[in-house]
Structure formats: C-alpha cells, structure tokens
Amino acid sequence: MNFLSSYRELFALPKFGSSLFAAVAGKLKPGISSVALLLEVAHYRGLGQAAVVVSVSALAGATVPLRGRLMDRHGYVRVMCPGLVVYLGALTVLVWNESARGPFATTMVCAFVASASLPPIYIVTRLMWRAMTTDDLRRSILSLDAVLTDVGYIVGPTIAAFLVVAVAPWAGLAASALLTTSATLLLLSRKLPHQRRQPRSAERHWLGPLRDRAVRRTMVAVVAFFVAVRAIELAFPAWAQQHHAPLMSGVLLSCMSVGSMAGGLALGALPAGRASRATFPVTLAVLSVGTLLVAAATFTWTALLVVAAAVMGIAVGPSFVALWATVGDLSPENLAAETQSWISSFMSLGGAVGAAASGLVIQALGPGALLLLAGLALALASGLARLAISGRPMTSEQVPGVDTRRAVNAEVQ
C-alpha cells in the first residue's frame, strides 16, 4: 500500500531497528519512573511524603536546558555518560535509604540529583531522527516518535504499578534504571554526527538560543499551547464530575489520546509535499477549532461529546510533530540540544500555568468555559507561531528541488 510506503522506507534505514528500540525505551521511561518513585516512597512513608518527593524530582527538570547547553559545548558522550553514572548512583542510594527507613531529607536529595543528572534521552532521540532522515521522511519519523510518546505515557504507569505489586517496591525504579541505561548506551553507540563544538574564543551569550527572536516567539507559542493542553485535560474530569459520571473522564481522555495517535500516524503516512503543509500554525489553528467544537458539545449529548473529543484529538499528534519540526528548523547553529531542552521547559511552564488557571475557571465558570478559553489560547498560539516563522529565511531543506538526501547521507557517513 502506498499509504504505508513512508514507514516501509523508515524501517529500511540502516540501524533503524536499534534506534527504534532506544526510542521506545526512552518513551516508556517517563511513564514508569514517576509512578515507580511515588509507589516506592509511599510504601514506606505514605502518599503525602511520596508526593513531596515526586514534586522535588519534577522540580529538577528545570535543569534540562543546562544539560542541553553542556551537550552542545562538550558533546553527547562527555555529558550523558557521567550523568548516567550519577543517576544510577542516586537511585541506588534512594532505594537503600527507603528500605533502611533512613532520613527523609536523604530521599529528597537523591530524587533531585537523580532527576537533575538524568540523560535527556528524548532530546537526543529527536536529534538522532533529524540526522538519520531526509526532509521526505522527517515528518514520518517525528510522527512515529509522537505516537510512541503517547503509548509510553499510557503503558508506562501500568508497567510500573504491576512491577511494584508483583515483584517489590523497588522493581519499578529498577525497570526505569534499566530502560535509561539501555537507551543511553544505544543512542551513544549510534555515533551521531555531533555538531562542531564552538571554540573557547567564540562569543557566547547567556541566553543561548533564546537570543534568537524567532525562537523566543516560538517559546511563547509553546506556553500558550500547553496552557490549553492542560486545560483540556482538566476540563474533561471536571465535566464528568459535574454530570456525576466519573468514568467518563477516562473515556474522554482515552478518546482524545486515540485520536492523537491516529492523527500522528496518518500525518506520517502522507507524501512529504502534503505533510509539509501541516505546519505548526496550521495544526494549532485546526486544534483550536476542534477544541471550540468540544466546548460546544459539552452543552449537548454525551455521545456527541465523545465523538468531538476523538475528532479534536486528531490534531493533537500532528501539532506535536509540527512543533518538533519547527524547533529543528529554528535551532541556531551549534545550539540544537539546548533549543530542544528549552522547549521542554516551556512546555512544563505552560502546563503549570494552565493547571493553576484551570482550577479557578472551573470553579467560577465551569468546564465548558474552560474549553472555550483553551480554544482561544490555541488560536493565540497559532498566531504567535506564524509570527515566529514568517520572517525566517528558507534553508536548503525547505527549498523545493534541493536534494537533501545526499547531504544527510554524507553527514551520517
């Protein structure tokens, strides 16, 4: 089938199997680690203290841009290998301290150190995909990457809970450590074409990639994007609670996730010319319209709301694909890893702002109004994204008729 030709080409790439395994391990790890950490500490200290530890671990995620900057300056191996050693050591001390009923402060410090030293697998994975593929296949591999991310967050927590219940409280963290180690070693064994390190005499600005105006505008668009995403995620449970149907929260979120995976896979299967039209501003605009339709459906029948959630979800996956493609195009020279890292940080910022604002809006106006505001936030994000990329010069990868395959193959070899 021609519809699957893009994916067949991906699997025919050299060493794609090992690269895909590294990506899958990296996608499963986040979903496993957070639940595993929560259950490990809760087993000995209760959910209250466990929640504090998880929060401290999440706070350490703010150090991701620093790790990205270090990778750009010193290479992947010199940053990821020591980070992996520190991560495994901190995790080992945390498990030992919990089993020995040691000081709670030690557990918190270990959780912070483990998260702060964790090799940024997902960033290196996206840089690997960009190096492996030409422009014709780039959206296909990013689509597959987005689908794997959805699968990881669905399957990962289930695996963690099963291991903790069936094996031991530390089993989930052990699985997280194993996945991290496997993914890191596999990625480093790929010998990716690192960017040239800047000489010590080169001018360095403390803002890094944020010095670029287009990148800054994209970051603001990402914040608005994730304010809306978190608002949608919280609006569904609020609607279910309002209608005394708690199970519907899971149904609506699942429908959105299924739609997201279907949209991502469909985008990756399209020919490069048609897929390239799904730019970040376009996908955000479509997602905005879909969210507004979901907001209207909250005032109608439940069945219509379920269908609207699934249809709206079709634009979620392509929005992430377009985001990573845009970030790759906008990344300043020799700052690719740090730029990807900043995107993840601004995602977290948008999610935090969205969660805080959503609670106030739900109490004052209800879930329908929250979805309406989410749609408006997505429209704002679309405008900001269009403003960010409108003034950028076209690269050789974007100019029609340029043979990018030869350039990429030469770089990989």
Side-chain angles (χ1 to χ4, degrees):
M1 295 176 61
N2 293 331
F3 184 73
L4 298 176
S5 61
S6 297
Y7 292 113
R8 285 200 298 267
E9 289 185 50
L10 285 178
F11 280 87
L13 292 174
K15 298 184 179 180
F16 181 76
S18 59
S19 301
L20 183 62
F21 181 82
V24 170
K27 303 305 181 188
L28 286 174
K29 190 267 172 193
I32 291 177
S33 61
S34 58
V35 174
L37 180 61
L38 178 71
L39 296 178
E40 160 73 8
V41 179
H43 178 78
Y44 298 101
R45 304 181 188 272
L47 282 174
Q49 289 182 302
V52 174
V53 173
V54 173
S55 298
V56 169
S57 177
L59 181 64
T63 63
V64 174
L66 174 60
R67 280 171 274 168
R69 179 171 293 189
L70 290 174
M71 286 195 298
D72 284 329
R73 291 184 178 179
H74 305 290
Y76 300 133
V77 176
R78 293 186 178 183
V79 176
M80 294 181 72
C81 284
L84 178 63
V85 172
V86 174
Y87 165 75
L88 294 176
L91 214 59
T92 301
V93 174
L94 186 151
V95 171
W96 174 83
N97 186 66
E98 287 302 290
S99 62
R101 307 299 201 276
F104 182 58
T106 301
T107 296
M108 289 196 296
V109 170
C110 288
F112 184 89
V113 171
S115 182
S117 60
L118 179 68
I121 298 168
Y122 57 95
I123 292 173
V124 180
T125 299
R126 293 191 181 105
L127 296 176
M128 173 185 68
W129 294 146
R130 192 168 183 85
M132 285 179 62
T133 56
T134 65
D135 196 46
D136 291 343
L137 293 177
R138 193 155 292 151
R139 286 187 183 270
S140 297
I141 192 59
L142 290 177
S143 298
L144 184 59
D145 187 84
V147 171
L148 291 176
T149 301
D150 284 333
V151 172
Y153 276 106
I154 294 172
V155 177
T158 304
I159 295 176
F162 172 79
L163 290 173
V164 169
V165 172
V167 182
W170 49 263
L173 290 178
S176 176
L178 179 61
L179 288 171
T180 301
T181 303
S182 301
T184 300
L185 296 179
L186 280 171
L187 287 172
L188 294 179
S189 70
R190 291 284 291 113
K191 297 181 179 179
L192 300 179
H194 300 333
Q195 295 171 305
R196 293 182 179 179
R197 286 183 289 164
Q198 297 178 352
R200 294 183 181 274
S201 58
E203 180 183 359
R204 294 174 179 173
H205 195 276
W206 67 275
L207 284 175
L210 297 183
R211 190 179 185 182
D212 187 281
R213 183 172 59 181
V215 174
R216 291 198 304 271
R217 288 173 174 173
T218 303
M219 300 298 174
V220 178
V222 168
V223 172
F225 176 30
F226 263 75
V227 166
V229 169
R230 187 53 52 86
I232 294 169
E233 291 176 345
L234 295 177
F236 285 155
W239 181 91
Q241 185 179 21
Q242 186 183 71
H243 289 76
H244 307 289
L247 291 177
M248 283 304 301
S249 61
V251 172
L252 293 171
L253 289 170
S254 297
C255 287
M256 184 179 71
S257 297
V258 171
S260 175
M261 289 187 285
L265 287 173
L267 178 63
L270 290 175
R274 296 177 61 185
S276 63
R277 299 173 187 172
T279 62
F280 193 38
V282 170
T283 57
L284 287 177
V286 174
L287 183 57
S288 174
V289 173
T291 304
L292 294 176
L293 292 176
V294 173
T298 59
F299 299 99
T300 60
W301 304 281
T302 300
L304 185 59
L305 176 59
V306 170
V307 173
V311 172
M312 179 266 290
I314 294 175
V316 174
S319 294
F320 281 97
V321 175
L323 169 61
W324 298 121
T326 300
V327 171
D329 292 337
L330 295 180
S331 296
E333 187 178 3
N334 295 318
L335 297 175
E338 186 180 352
T339 307
Q340 296 272 353
S341 304
W342 275 115
I343 288 290
S344 299
S345 295
F346 279 95
M347 284 180 176
S348 300
L349 174 61
V353 173
S358 295
L360 299 175
V361 174
I362 288 173
Q363 289 183 351
L365 303 172
L370 179 59
L371 287 166
L372 174 62
L373 293 176
L376 296 177
L378 288 167
L380 173 63
S382 176
L384 290 169
R386 186 176 300 278
L387 185 64
I389 66 178
S390 60
R392 299 287 293 189
M394 297 181 70
T395 65
S396 60
E397 295 176 354
Q398 298 168 303
V399 178
V402 174
D403 184 6
T404 59
R405 183 181 299 274
R406 183 180 303 172
V408 173
N409 287 340
E411 184 183 17
V412 172
Q413 294 173 356

PDB file of all heavy atoms in Angstrom, residues 357-373:
ATOM      1  N   ALA A 357      -4.596  28.040  36.438  1.00  0.00           N
ATOM      2  CA  ALA A 357      -5.708  28.846  35.933  1.00  0.00           C
ATOM      3  C   ALA A 357      -6.969  28.020  35.744  1.00  0.00           C
ATOM      4  O   ALA A 357      -8.081  28.520  35.939  1.00  0.00           O
ATOM      5  CB  ALA A 357      -5.304  29.492  34.604  1.00  0.00           C
ATOM      6  N   SER A 358      -6.806  26.754  35.377  1.00  0.00           N
ATOM      7  CA  SER A 358      -7.973  25.907  35.105  1.00  0.00           C
ATOM      8  C   SER A 358      -8.828  25.711  36.348  1.00  0.00           C
ATOM      9  O   SER A 358     -10.064  25.717  36.273  1.00  0.00           O
ATOM     10  CB  SER A 358      -7.520  24.547  34.567  1.00  0.00           C
ATOM     11  OG  SER A 358      -6.887  24.683  33.321  1.00  0.00           O
ATOM     12  N   GLY A 359      -8.167  25.536  37.494  1.00  0.00           N
ATOM     13  CA  GLY A 359      -8.931  25.353  38.720  1.00  0.00           C
ATOM     14  C   GLY A 359      -9.819  26.549  39.018  1.00  0.00           C
ATOM     15  O   GLY A 359     -10.985  26.385  39.410  1.00  0.00           O
ATOM     16  N   LEU A 360      -9.294  27.756  38.809  1.00  0.00           N
ATOM     17  CA  LEU A 360     -10.080  28.959  39.063  1.00  0.00           C
ATOM     18  C   LEU A 360     -11.239  29.097  38.077  1.00  0.00           C
ATOM     19  O   LEU A 360     -12.364  29.448  38.459  1.00  0.00           O
ATOM     20  CB  LEU A 360      -9.171  30.195  38.974  1.00  0.00           C
ATOM     21  CG  LEU A 360      -8.007  30.257  39.979  1.00  0.00           C
ATOM     22  CD1 LEU A 360      -7.135  31.462  39.685  1.00  0.00           C
ATOM     23  CD2 LEU A 360      -8.543  30.307  41.409  1.00  0.00           C
ATOM     24  N   VAL A 361     -10.969  28.810  36.791  1.00  0.00           N
ATOM     25  CA  VAL A 361     -12.010  28.949  35.772  1.00  0.00           C
ATOM     26  C   VAL A 361     -13.118  27.921  35.983  1.00  0.00           C
ATOM     27  O   VAL A 361     -14.305  28.236  35.840  1.00  0.00           O
ATOM     28  CB  VAL A 361     -11.396  28.806  34.364  1.00  0.00           C
ATOM     29  CG1 VAL A 361     -12.487  28.799  33.293  1.00  0.00           C
ATOM     30  CG2 VAL A 361     -10.408  29.932  34.098  1.00  0.00           C
ATOM     31  N   ILE A 362     -12.749  26.689  36.326  1.00  0.00           N
ATOM     32  CA  ILE A 362     -13.758  25.643  36.541  1.00  0.00           C
ATOM     33  C   ILE A 362     -14.692  26.030  37.683  1.00  0.00           C
ATOM     34  O   ILE A 362     -15.912  25.878  37.593  1.00  0.00           O
ATOM     35  CB  ILE A 362     -13.072  24.296  36.818  1.00  0.00           C
ATOM     36  CG1 ILE A 362     -12.447  23.752  35.533  1.00  0.00           C
ATOM     37  CG2 ILE A 362     -14.074  23.283  37.364  1.00  0.00           C
ATOM     38  CD1 ILE A 362     -11.597  22.515  35.737  1.00  0.00           C
ATOM     39  N   GLN A 363     -14.118  26.530  38.764  1.00  0.00           N
ATOM     40  CA  GLN A 363     -14.944  26.914  39.917  1.00  0.00           C
ATOM     41  C   GLN A 363     -15.858  28.085  39.587  1.00  0.00           C
ATOM     42  O   GLN A 363     -17.012  28.124  40.022  1.00  0.00           O
ATOM     43  CB  GLN A 363     -14.049  27.273  41.103  1.00  0.00           C
ATOM     44  CG  GLN A 363     -13.347  26.079  41.728  1.00  0.00           C
ATOM     45  CD  GLN A 363     -12.529  26.478  42.951  1.00  0.00           C
ATOM     46  OE1 GLN A 363     -12.351  27.662  43.227  1.00  0.00           O
ATOM     47  NE2 GLN A 363     -12.028  25.493  43.674  1.00  0.00           N
ATOM     48  N   ALA A 364     -15.368  29.013  38.789  1.00  0.00           N
ATOM     49  CA  ALA A 364     -16.149  30.230  38.513  1.00  0.00           C
ATOM     50  C   ALA A 364     -17.122  30.063  37.351  1.00  0.00           C
ATOM     51  O   ALA A 364     -18.256  30.548  37.416  1.00  0.00           O
ATOM     52  CB  ALA A 364     -15.198  31.400  38.240  1.00  0.00           C
ATOM     53  N   LEU A 365     -16.694  29.365  36.286  1.00  0.00           N
ATOM     54  CA  LEU A 365     -17.481  29.347  35.056  1.00  0.00           C
ATOM     55  C   LEU A 365     -17.849  27.965  34.557  1.00  0.00           C
ATOM     56  O   LEU A 365     -18.740  27.833  33.707  1.00  0.00           O
ATOM     57  CB  LEU A 365     -16.707  30.094  33.947  1.00  0.00           C
ATOM     58  CG  LEU A 365     -16.334  31.550  34.261  1.00  0.00           C
ATOM     59  CD1 LEU A 365     -15.424  32.105  33.173  1.00  0.00           C
ATOM     60  CD2 LEU A 365     -17.596  32.405  34.402  1.00  0.00           C
ATOM     61  N   GLY A 366     -17.137  26.928  34.995  1.00  0.00           N
ATOM     62  CA  GLY A 366     -17.465  25.578  34.573  1.00  0.00           C
ATOM     63  C   GLY A 366     -16.546  25.056  33.479  1.00  0.00           C
ATOM     64  O   GLY A 366     -15.781  25.815  32.864  1.00  0.00           O
ATOM     65  N   PRO A 367     -16.604  23.735  33.198  1.00  0.00           N
ATOM     66  CA  PRO A 367     -15.695  23.120  32.215  1.00  0.00           C
ATOM     67  C   PRO A 367     -15.917  23.603  30.790  1.00  0.00           C
ATOM     68  O   PRO A 367     -14.973  23.666  30.004  1.00  0.00           O
ATOM     69  CB  PRO A 367     -16.000  21.621  32.353  1.00  0.00           C
ATOM     70  CG  PRO A 367     -17.354  21.547  32.970  1.00  0.00           C
ATOM     71  CD  PRO A 367     -17.469  22.740  33.858  1.00  0.00           C
ATOM     72  N   GLY A 368     -17.173  23.923  30.417  1.00  0.00           N
ATOM     73  CA  GLY A 368     -17.419  24.417  29.062  1.00  0.00           C
ATOM     74  C   GLY A 368     -16.687  25.713  28.784  1.00  0.00           C
ATOM     75  O   GLY A 368     -16.087  25.898  27.713  1.00  0.00           O
ATOM     76  N   ALA A 369     -16.707  26.620  29.758  1.00  0.00           N
ATOM     77  CA  ALA A 369     -15.997  27.891  29.611  1.00  0.00           C
ATOM     78  C   ALA A 369     -14.491  27.677  29.562  1.00  0.00           C
ATOM     79  O   ALA A 369     -13.775  28.373  28.829  1.00  0.00           O
ATOM     80  CB  ALA A 369     -16.371  28.825  30.757  1.00  0.00           C
ATOM     81  N   LEU A 370     -14.001  26.694  30.329  1.00  0.00           N
ATOM     82  CA  LEU A 370     -12.569  26.398  30.312  1.00  0.00           C
ATOM     83  C   LEU A 370     -12.131  25.913  28.931  1.00  0.00           C
ATOM     84  O   LEU A 370     -11.084  26.314  28.417  1.00  0.00           O
ATOM     85  CB  LEU A 370     -12.245  25.346  31.370  1.00  0.00           C
ATOM     86  CG  LEU A 370     -10.773  24.911  31.447  1.00  0.00           C
ATOM     87  CD1 LEU A 370      -9.866  26.101  31.746  1.00  0.00           C
ATOM     88  CD2 LEU A 370     -10.594  23.821  32.507  1.00  0.00           C
ATOM     89  N   LEU A 371     -12.940  25.061  28.305  1.00  0.00           N
ATOM     90  CA  LEU A 371     -12.630  24.590  26.958  1.00  0.00           C
ATOM     91  C   LEU A 371     -12.678  25.732  25.949  1.00  0.00           C
ATOM     92  O   LEU A 371     -11.875  25.778  24.997  1.00  0.00           O
ATOM     93  CB  LEU A 371     -13.599  23.485  26.555  1.00  0.00           C
ATOM     94  CG  LEU A 371     -13.370  22.132  27.246  1.00  0.00           C
ATOM     95  CD1 LEU A 371     -14.565  21.218  27.041  1.00  0.00           C
ATOM     96  CD2 LEU A 371     -12.097  21.475  26.718  1.00  0.00           C
ATOM     97  N   LEU A 372     -13.597  26.661  26.136  1.00  0.00           N
ATOM     98  CA  LEU A 372     -13.659  27.830  25.266  1.00  0.00           C
ATOM     99  C   LEU A 372     -12.384  28.646  25.377  1.00  0.00           C
ATOM    100  O   LEU A 372     -11.789  29.062  24.360  1.00  0.00           O
ATOM    101  CB  LEU A 372     -14.868  28.681  25.634  1.00  0.00           C
ATOM    102  CG  LEU A 372     -15.002  30.029  24.905  1.00  0.00           C
ATOM    103  CD1 LEU A 372     -15.161  29.804  23.400  1.00  0.00           C
ATOM    104  CD2 LEU A 372     -16.187  30.822  25.460  1.00  0.00           C
ATOM    105  N   LEU A 373     -11.922  28.878  26.589  1.00  0.00           N
ATOM    106  CA  LEU A 373     -10.686  29.632  26.788  1.00  0.00           C
ATOM    107  C   LEU A 373      -9.484  28.862  26.241  1.00  0.00           C
ATOM    108  O   LEU A 373      -8.537  29.468  25.726  1.00  0.00           O
ATOM    109  CB  LEU A 373     -10.498  29.933  28.274  1.00  0.00           C
ATOM    110  CG  LEU A 373     -11.517  30.902  28.889  1.00  0.00           C
ATOM    111  CD1 LEU A 373     -11.278  31.049  30.394  1.00  0.00           C
ATOM    112  CD2 LEU A 373     -11.435  32.268  28.205  1.00  0.00           C
TER     113      LEU A 373
END
